Amino acid sequence: GESVGLHLPTLSVQEGDNSIINCAYSNSASDYFIWYKQESGKGPQFIIDIRSNMDKRQGQRVTVLLNKTVKHLSLQIAATQPGDSAVYFCAEKTLGGNEKLTFGTGTRLTIIP
Amino acid sequence: DVKVTQSSRYLVKRTGEKVFLECVQDMDHENMFWYRQDPGLGLRLIYFSYDVKMKEKGDIPEGYSVSREKKERFSLILESASTNQTSMYLCASRPLGGEPYNEQFFGPGTRLTVL
């Protein structure tokens, strides 16, 4: 079946460096791709989304890149801070049905002081 | 701020017990969701509801049922708990329409252990 997955389960980055979290997807019919952040002991929190007809979208310190040719999604976090330590999930949604999001398995980002 | 609360942070039950997990949101959202989260599997949708008394099965509804009698409250029911239902359960809500279309607001989760 269709799936949304991640290349790496863990990522360690030096504080102040940029982080890149990757995600592979298989459903070429997805309309939206979304990133969520989950801090320890909390529920996931929406970060940013991108529509499938876009290649790039920027938010505050974050950029999402979408490469439909290779079905690859990435989240770039600029100048990572200790507060960025969390598990990051990518998710996808197809319009025309319901509000269902299909989540990937997550990447744990650890910031090294 | 949107607030989604779940009745318990930690819950321990025995096999065969009937378990109720409660979720309440205070922002008049139409849509509500129940997920379970397991290591290496991410979040998987159990059930969702887009209105009072309305429900739809998600990806893994087996062994679960739901109830939505009031707009703000969405309950997940384990009719006869089993050990393979030991997991973190997350409730979420979102309004109908609005930007961004994809933001769901999550509660803190209930970690359920079935012995």
Side-chain angles (χ1 to χ4, degrees), chain B residues 57-84:
Chain B
K57 294 180 180 179
D59 297 318
I60 51 165
E62 295 79 18
Y64 303 94
S65 61
V66 290
S67 173
R68 188 146 181 223
E69 296 296 318
K70 293 184 178 182
K71 191 175 185 180
E72 67 271 18
R73 187 180 298 270
F74 192 34
S75 302
L76 181 68
I77 303 157
L78 287 66
E79 294 289 342
S80 178
S82 63
T83 54
N84 63 12

mmCIF file of all heavy atoms in Angstrom, chain B residues 57-84:
data_model
loop_
_atom_site.group_PDB
_atom_site.id
_atom_site.type_symbol
_atom_site.label_atom_id
_atom_site.label_comp_id
_atom_site.label_asym_id
_atom_site.label_seq_id
_atom_site.Cartn_x
_atom_site.Cartn_y
_atom_site.Cartn_z
ATOM 1 N N LYS B 57 -14.216 5.177 10.147
ATOM 2 C CA LYS B 57 -13.064 4.352 10.495
ATOM 3 C C LYS B 57 -11.810 4.925 9.864
ATOM 4 O O LYS B 57 -11.821 5.418 8.746
ATOM 5 C CB LYS B 57 -13.283 2.920 10.011
ATOM 6 C CG LYS B 57 -14.414 2.196 10.722
ATOM 7 C CD LYS B 57 -14.582 0.790 10.189
ATOM 8 C CE LYS B 57 -15.724 0.069 10.903
ATOM 9 N NZ LYS B 57 -15.912 -1.302 10.375
ATOM 10 N N GLY B 58 -10.739 4.804 10.644
ATOM 11 C CA GLY B 58 -9.444 5.152 10.112
ATOM 12 C C GLY B 58 -8.739 3.918 9.571
ATOM 13 O O GLY B 58 -9.382 3.014 9.021
ATOM 14 N N ASP B 59 -7.443 3.848 9.781
ATOM 15 C CA ASP B 59 -6.655 2.749 9.235
ATOM 16 C C ASP B 59 -6.661 1.502 10.118
ATOM 17 O O ASP B 59 -6.482 0.393 9.616
ATOM 18 C CB ASP B 59 -5.206 3.203 9.022
ATOM 19 C CG ASP B 59 -5.121 4.327 8.008
ATOM 20 O OD1 ASP B 59 -5.831 4.252 6.987
ATOM 21 O OD2 ASP B 59 -4.366 5.292 8.244
ATOM 22 N N ILE B 60 -6.851 1.688 11.421
ATOM 23 C CA ILE B 60 -6.768 0.540 12.342
ATOM 24 C C ILE B 60 -7.929 0.561 13.346
ATOM 25 O O ILE B 60 -7.713 0.643 14.546
ATOM 26 C CB ILE B 60 -5.407 0.514 13.081
ATOM 27 C CG1 ILE B 60 -5.101 1.880 13.725
ATOM 28 C CG2 ILE B 60 -4.282 0.123 12.118
ATOM 29 C CD1 ILE B 60 -3.994 1.815 14.747
ATOM 30 N N PRO B 61 -9.167 0.435 12.904
ATOM 31 C CA PRO B 61 -10.303 0.546 13.825
ATOM 32 C C PRO B 61 -10.602 -0.721 14.626
ATOM 33 O O PRO B 61 -11.374 -0.678 15.597
ATOM 34 C CB PRO B 61 -11.458 0.840 12.880
ATOM 35 C CG PRO B 61 -11.077 0.135 11.619
ATOM 36 C CD PRO B 61 -9.569 0.260 11.514
ATOM 37 N N GLU B 62 -9.997 -1.833 14.248
ATOM 38 C CA GLU B 62 -10.345 -3.108 14.879
ATOM 39 C C GLU B 62 -10.039 -3.072 16.379
ATOM 40 O O GLU B 62 -8.937 -2.712 16.796
ATOM 41 C CB GLU B 62 -9.565 -4.250 14.211
ATOM 42 C CG GLU B 62 -9.916 -4.488 12.756
ATOM 43 C CD GLU B 62 -9.253 -3.484 11.820
ATOM 44 O OE1 GLU B 62 -8.270 -2.833 12.242
ATOM 45 O OE2 GLU B 62 -9.735 -3.343 10.686
ATOM 46 N N GLY B 63 -11.025 -3.467 17.164
ATOM 47 C CA GLY B 63 -10.857 -3.500 18.621
ATOM 48 C C GLY B 63 -11.219 -2.201 19.312
ATOM 49 O O GLY B 63 -11.146 -2.117 20.547
ATOM 50 N N TYR B 64 -11.622 -1.203 18.533
ATOM 51 C CA TYR B 64 -11.960 0.104 19.080
ATOM 52 C C TYR B 64 -13.352 0.537 18.611
ATOM 53 O O TYR B 64 -13.817 0.102 17.565
ATOM 54 C CB TYR B 64 -10.965 1.165 18.615
ATOM 55 C CG TYR B 64 -9.523 0.885 18.940
ATOM 56 C CD1 TYR B 64 -8.693 0.255 18.002
ATOM 57 C CD2 TYR B 64 -8.971 1.250 20.164
ATOM 58 C CE1 TYR B 64 -7.359 -0.005 18.292
ATOM 59 C CE2 TYR B 64 -7.649 1.008 20.461
ATOM 60 C CZ TYR B 64 -6.844 0.380 19.513
ATOM 61 O OH TYR B 64 -5.529 0.127 19.795
ATOM 62 N N SER B 65 -13.972 1.401 19.400
ATOM 63 C CA SER B 65 -15.159 2.108 18.962
ATOM 64 C C SER B 65 -15.044 3.540 19.499
ATOM 65 O O SER B 65 -14.161 3.837 20.296
ATOM 66 C CB SER B 65 -16.441 1.440 19.468
ATOM 67 O OG SER B 65 -16.476 1.435 20.884
ATOM 68 N N VAL B 66 -15.916 4.409 19.019
ATOM 69 C CA VAL B 66 -15.873 5.803 19.437
ATOM 70 C C VAL B 66 -17.277 6.309 19.710
ATOM 71 O O VAL B 66 -18.263 5.718 19.280
ATOM 72 C CB VAL B 66 -15.185 6.708 18.382
ATOM 73 C CG1 VAL B 66 -13.699 6.436 18.300
ATOM 74 C CG2 VAL B 66 -15.866 6.558 17.033
ATOM 75 N N SER B 67 -17.306 7.432 20.399
ATOM 76 C CA SER B 67 -18.581 8.085 20.695
ATOM 77 C C SER B 67 -18.384 9.583 20.633
ATOM 78 O O SER B 67 -17.427 10.112 21.203
ATOM 79 C CB SER B 67 -19.066 7.672 22.091
ATOM 80 O OG SER B 67 -20.212 8.412 22.465
ATOM 81 N N ARG B 68 -19.325 10.242 19.932
ATOM 82 C CA ARG B 68 -19.282 11.696 19.925
ATOM 83 C C ARG B 68 -20.704 12.205 20.113
ATOM 84 O O ARG B 68 -21.443 12.415 19.152
ATOM 85 C CB ARG B 68 -18.683 12.233 18.624
ATOM 86 C CG ARG B 68 -18.453 13.753 18.689
ATOM 87 C CD ARG B 68 -17.269 14.161 17.939
ATOM 88 N NE ARG B 68 -17.049 15.592 18.025
ATOM 89 C CZ ARG B 68 -16.714 16.338 16.983
ATOM 90 N NH1 ARG B 68 -16.575 15.785 15.783
ATOM 91 N NH2 ARG B 68 -16.493 17.622 17.138
ATOM 92 N N GLU B 69 -21.086 12.398 21.345
ATOM 93 C CA GLU B 69 -22.418 12.863 21.705
ATOM 94 C C GLU B 69 -22.503 14.374 21.765
ATOM 95 O O GLU B 69 -23.571 14.969 21.569
ATOM 96 C CB GLU B 69 -22.840 12.264 23.050
ATOM 97 C CG GLU B 69 -22.972 10.747 23.038
ATOM 98 C CD GLU B 69 -24.071 10.281 22.100
ATOM 99 O OE1 GLU B 69 -25.148 10.903 22.067
ATOM 100 O OE2 GLU B 69 -23.844 9.278 21.376
ATOM 101 N N LYS B 70 -21.361 15.001 22.044
ATOM 102 C CA LYS B 70 -21.287 16.457 22.071
ATOM 103 C C LYS B 70 -20.125 16.914 21.196
ATOM 104 O O LYS B 70 -19.136 16.198 21.046
ATOM 105 C CB LYS B 70 -21.107 16.972 23.504
ATOM 106 C CG LYS B 70 -22.293 16.724 24.399
ATOM 107 C CD LYS B 70 -22.076 17.352 25.772
ATOM 108 C CE LYS B 70 -23.298 17.144 26.655
ATOM 109 N NZ LYS B 70 -23.124 17.782 27.981
ATOM 110 N N LYS B 71 -20.224 18.098 20.676
ATOM 111 C CA LYS B 71 -19.230 18.570 19.719
ATOM 112 C C LYS B 71 -17.828 18.618 20.318
ATOM 113 O O LYS B 71 -16.844 18.356 19.640
ATOM 114 C CB LYS B 71 -19.631 19.965 19.217
ATOM 115 C CG LYS B 71 -18.841 20.453 18.029
ATOM 116 C CD LYS B 71 -19.394 21.781 17.541
ATOM 117 C CE LYS B 71 -18.684 22.227 16.275
ATOM 118 N NZ LYS B 71 -19.234 23.527 15.798
ATOM 119 N N GLU B 72 -17.741 18.977 21.593
ATOM 120 C CA GLU B 72 -16.433 19.182 22.178
ATOM 121 C C GLU B 72 -15.778 17.907 22.687
ATOM 122 O O GLU B 72 -14.612 17.916 23.057
ATOM 123 C CB GLU B 72 -16.530 20.188 23.340
ATOM 124 C CG GLU B 72 -17.306 19.685 24.551
ATOM 125 C CD GLU B 72 -18.804 19.992 24.471
ATOM 126 O OE1 GLU B 72 -19.294 20.284 23.356
ATOM 127 O OE2 GLU B 72 -19.455 19.959 25.540
ATOM 128 N N ARG B 73 -16.497 16.807 22.706
ATOM 129 C CA ARG B 73 -16.002 15.596 23.355
ATOM 130 C C ARG B 73 -16.004 14.405 22.400
ATOM 131 O O ARG B 73 -17.005 14.123 21.736
ATOM 132 C CB ARG B 73 -16.863 15.280 24.575
ATOM 133 C CG ARG B 73 -16.352 14.145 25.442
ATOM 134 C CD ARG B 73 -17.301 13.940 26.627
ATOM 135 N NE ARG B 73 -17.356 15.124 27.478
ATOM 136 C CZ ARG B 73 -16.564 15.343 28.515
ATOM 137 N NH1 ARG B 73 -15.647 14.443 28.867
ATOM 138 N NH2 ARG B 73 -16.695 16.433 29.234
ATOM 139 N N PHE B 74 -14.884 13.702 22.366
ATOM 140 C CA PHE B 74 -14.738 12.531 21.490
ATOM 141 C C PHE B 74 -14.099 11.431 22.329
ATOM 142 O O PHE B 74 -12.987 11.600 22.840
ATOM 143 C CB PHE B 74 -13.857 12.899 20.300
ATOM 144 C CG PHE B 74 -13.842 11.899 19.173
ATOM 145 C CD1 PHE B 74 -14.960 11.154 18.851
ATOM 146 C CD2 PHE B 74 -12.702 11.735 18.391
ATOM 147 C CE1 PHE B 74 -14.953 10.261 17.793
ATOM 148 C CE2 PHE B 74 -12.676 10.846 17.328
ATOM 149 C CZ PHE B 74 -13.804 10.110 17.028
ATOM 150 N N SER B 75 -14.811 10.333 22.476
ATOM 151 C CA SER B 75 -14.350 9.258 23.344
ATOM 152 C C SER B 75 -13.906 8.054 22.533
ATOM 153 O O SER B 75 -14.550 7.696 21.542
ATOM 154 C CB SER B 75 -15.477 8.828 24.300
ATOM 155 O OG SER B 75 -15.912 9.925 25.071
ATOM 156 N N LEU B 76 -12.830 7.460 22.963
ATOM 157 C CA LEU B 76 -12.335 6.219 22.361
ATOM 158 C C LEU B 76 -12.592 5.089 23.350
ATOM 159 O O LEU B 76 -12.274 5.219 24.536
ATOM 160 C CB LEU B 76 -10.837 6.311 22.066
ATOM 161 C CG LEU B 76 -10.187 5.088 21.421
ATOM 162 C CD1 LEU B 76 -10.693 4.906 19.985
ATOM 163 C CD2 LEU B 76 -8.666 5.215 21.435
ATOM 164 N N ILE B 77 -13.171 4.009 22.856
ATOM 165 C CA ILE B 77 -13.565 2.905 23.732
ATOM 166 C C ILE B 77 -12.874 1.630 23.286
ATOM 167 O O ILE B 77 -12.910 1.277 22.090
ATOM 168 C CB ILE B 77 -15.099 2.712 23.688
ATOM 169 C CG1 ILE B 77 -15.798 4.016 24.074
ATOM 170 C CG2 ILE B 77 -15.524 1.576 24.629
ATOM 171 C CD1 ILE B 77 -17.201 4.148 23.558
ATOM 172 N N LEU B 78 -12.240 0.979 24.235
ATOM 173 C CA LEU B 78 -11.689 -0.346 24.009
ATOM 174 C C LEU B 78 -12.636 -1.313 24.696
ATOM 175 O O LEU B 78 -12.709 -1.354 25.926
ATOM 176 C CB LEU B 78 -10.286 -0.473 24.595
ATOM 177 C CG LEU B 78 -9.128 0.246 23.890
ATOM 178 C CD1 LEU B 78 -9.258 1.756 23.954
ATOM 179 C CD2 LEU B 78 -7.795 -0.199 24.469
ATOM 180 N N GLU B 79 -13.412 -2.032 23.918
ATOM 181 C CA GLU B 79 -14.480 -2.872 24.483
ATOM 182 C C GLU B 79 -13.914 -3.965 25.388
ATOM 183 O O GLU B 79 -14.486 -4.271 26.425
ATOM 184 C CB GLU B 79 -15.303 -3.492 23.357
ATOM 185 C CG GLU B 79 -16.089 -2.482 22.522
ATOM 186 C CD GLU B 79 -17.256 -1.873 23.292
ATOM 187 O OE1 GLU B 79 -17.686 -2.438 24.317
ATOM 188 O OE2 GLU B 79 -17.754 -0.807 22.854
ATOM 189 N N SER B 80 -12.813 -4.545 24.990
ATOM 190 C CA SER B 80 -12.169 -5.593 25.786
ATOM 191 C C SER B 80 -10.663 -5.463 25.553
ATOM 192 O O SER B 80 -10.143 -5.976 24.557
ATOM 193 C CB SER B 80 -12.677 -6.969 25.355
ATOM 194 O OG SER B 80 -12.029 -7.990 26.087
ATOM 195 N N ALA B 81 -10.010 -4.750 26.450
ATOM 196 C CA ALA B 81 -8.605 -4.403 26.236
ATOM 197 C C ALA B 81 -7.731 -5.644 26.090
ATOM 198 O O ALA B 81 -7.917 -6.652 26.786
ATOM 199 C CB ALA B 81 -8.113 -3.544 27.393
ATOM 200 N N SER B 82 -6.776 -5.537 25.188
ATOM 201 C CA SER B 82 -5.804 -6.606 24.993
ATOM 202 C C SER B 82 -4.396 -6.026 25.086
ATOM 203 O O SER B 82 -4.206 -4.813 24.926
ATOM 204 C CB SER B 82 -6.005 -7.295 23.643
ATOM 205 O OG SER B 82 -5.792 -6.376 22.585
ATOM 206 N N THR B 83 -3.426 -6.887 25.319
ATOM 207 C CA THR B 83 -2.054 -6.402 25.518
ATOM 208 C C THR B 83 -1.520 -5.687 24.282
ATOM 209 O O THR B 83 -0.682 -4.772 24.402
ATOM 210 C CB THR B 83 -1.116 -7.556 25.899
ATOM 211 O OG1 THR B 83 -1.213 -8.587 24.915
ATOM 212 C CG2 THR B 83 -1.486 -8.138 27.269
ATOM 213 N N ASN B 84 -1.993 -6.074 23.102
ATOM 214 C CA ASN B 84 -1.494 -5.399 21.894
ATOM 215 C C ASN B 84 -2.095 -4.017 21.702
ATOM 216 O O ASN B 84 -1.791 -3.324 20.714
ATOM 217 C CB ASN B 84 -1.679 -6.268 20.647
ATOM 218 C CG ASN B 84 -3.128 -6.558 20.339
ATOM 219 O OD1 ASN B 84 -4.030 -5.950 20.910
ATOM 220 N ND2 ASN B 84 -3.366 -7.491 19.434
#
